[in-house]
Amino acid sequence: VRDGENFVINGTKRFITAAGRSDYVQLMAVTDPEKRARGGITCFAVDLKTPGVTLERQWPTMMGEAPWQILFDNARVPAANVIGEIGGGFSLAQKWISEGRIRGHGARPVGIAQRALDLMIEYAKVRVTFGRPLADRQAIQFMIADSAMELHATRLMVYECAWRQDQGEDVRNLSYMVKVTATEMASRVVDRAIQVHGGLGLMKELPLEWWYRQIRSTRITEGANEVLRWRLGQNIIRSHA
Ligand SMILES: Cc1cc2nc3c(=O)[nH]c(=O)nc-3n(C[C@H](O)[C@H](O)[C@H](O)COP(=O)(O)OP(=O)(O)OC[C@H]3O[C@@H](n4cnc5c(N)ncnc54)[C@H](O)[C@@H]3O)c2cc1C
């Protein structure tokens, strides 16, 4: 709510990465409840030392990180701290989130899947069961082939999306496709890599179980995959001539 030269912010935001080691947060707040996403959301830079701003607690996760919960209780933020235009926060967020999706939820899953596939192949060559290396078994070859195909297709998708973003194109829909495809592809590849390693795949000695936990989170964070599919479907239907 605007009050002279300040905005008075109230509300709670759960799950904020790295807030405990930050001086400022980027806050998206509703400044016009009627317009909401269509011009009613504003982006602020908020000093975490502002009276009324409290880091309430951390939420430990299966990935090892522990995002914060932040309470805003009548926190007065100067209007000078508005980033961009008043009401322009949603489109800024869309742009930043697209970039994050390509990098953290596109390129990173591709890297994880590549390493998991490498480990899968290396182990299949050396592990002998019932007199033959796993690599000789068609069931294992199929897992390797499927992983290689899915990884290759996803990598090209990520490259194309990143390239279009660099050309200044609107890549919102493509970034949805990248995020959903890459996170689900890497989930399958890491899962297969664990399967090929047998009991060893479950051990903390290898990075596989760690990737398994990390990659699981990416189907939820930066927009749940169901929400992105929903939005993508809506956008495609709307823009279809
Ligand atoms: C470790 C971690 C770090 C995070 N860091 C940040 C951060 O730094 N900044 C930040 O702003 N947020 C952050 N978040 C929040 C994160 O972006 C959200 O958790 C995520 O977008 C999902 O929202 P939600 O948890 O409210 O799930 P909900 O919206 O409650 O959804 C729950 C489930 O319901 C389903 N669902 C929801 N809507 C629909 C729909 N329309 N159609 C079909 N199915 C649907 C999906 O399966 C979804 O997983 C973080 C979360 C975690 C876990």
Side-chain angles (χ1 to χ4, degrees):
V1 177
R2 181 101 196 212
D3 181 19
E5 286 306 299
N6 295 298
F7 281 82
V8 181
I9 310 279
N10 280 292
T12 301
K13 179 66 180 87
R14 236 179 6 182
F15 308 154
I16 296 299
T17 305
R21 50 189 161 87
S22 304
D23 296 321
Y24 284 83
V25 286
Q26 243 175 21
L27 171 76
M28 298 291 168
V30 175
T31 44
D32 185 335
E34 293 196 350
K35 291 189 186 159
R36 295 192 71 89
R38 296 175 200 282
I41 294 177
T42 302
C43 180
F44 297 89
V46 180
D47 188 333
L48 285 176
K49 292 191 291 297
T50 305
V53 179
T54 312
L55 297 191
E56 279 193 312
R57 59 162 291 190
Q58 277 187 285
W59 292 81
T61 66
M62 63 190 264
M63 298 82 72
E65 63 177 296
W68 289 83
Q69 177 167 312
I70 307 182
L71 171 69
F72 299 88
D73 181 13
N74 284 319
R76 298 180 74 80
V77 178
N81 286 25
V82 169
I83 300 174
E85 304 290 322
I86 292 173
F90 191 74
S91 51
L92 283 177
Q94 286 290 347
K95 183 169 173 292
W96 294 327
I97 289 174
S98 286
E99 285 175 13
R101 282 197 189 115
I102 301 168
R103 199 176 47 242
H105 289 66
R108 184 168 63 123
V110 164
I112 288 175
Q114 178 65 64
R115 187 72 188 115
L117 175 59
D118 290 343
L119 290 178
M120 198 186 327
I121 297 167
E122 286 163 21
Y123 189 70
K125 285 182 170 178
V126 297
R127 173 65 174 158
V128 175
T129 65
F130 305 96
R132 285 165 64 183
L134 290 178
D136 282 0
R137 310 282 181 189
Q138 198 178 47
I140 304 296
Q141 292 165 355
F142 276 17
M143 283 199 242
I144 289 170
D146 285 344
S147 299
M149 284 190 284
E150 293 169 23
L151 173 59
H152 183 61
T154 309
R155 178 179 278 125
L156 296 181
M157 205 173 185
V158 173
Y159 284 166
E160 188 209 350
C161 185
W163 180 79
R164 288 191 185 281
Q165 166 96 0
D166 284 349
Q167 307 308 305
E169 292 183 29
D170 177 358
V171 294
R172 194 184 308 175
N173 283 351
L174 259 185
S175 77
Y176 292 169
M177 293 183 203
V178 159
K179 196 272 190 182
V180 171
T181 305
T183 56
E184 294 180 5
M185 176 279 299
S187 295
R188 289 191 297 275
V189 173
V190 171
D191 188 78
R192 289 181 195 126
I194 290 177
Q195 193 67 20
V196 168
H197 281 77
L200 202 54
L202 305 170
M203 300 299 142
K204 298 248 176 204
E205 303 276 314
L206 292 179
L208 292 168
E209 63 80 31
W210 190 76
W211 289 331
Y212 191 73
R213 288 184 282 115
Q214 303 304 315
I215 214 66
R216 184 63 189 84
S217 74
T218 62
R219 283 155 51 200
I220 293 174
T221 53
E222 300 266 346
N225 285 10
E226 291 76 16
V227 173
L228 299 192
R229 278 192 166 87
W230 168 51
R231 289 293 187 206
L232 178 64
Q234 282 182 328
N235 293 347
I236 291 171
I237 291 165
R238 205 178 292 131
S239 63
H240 190 74

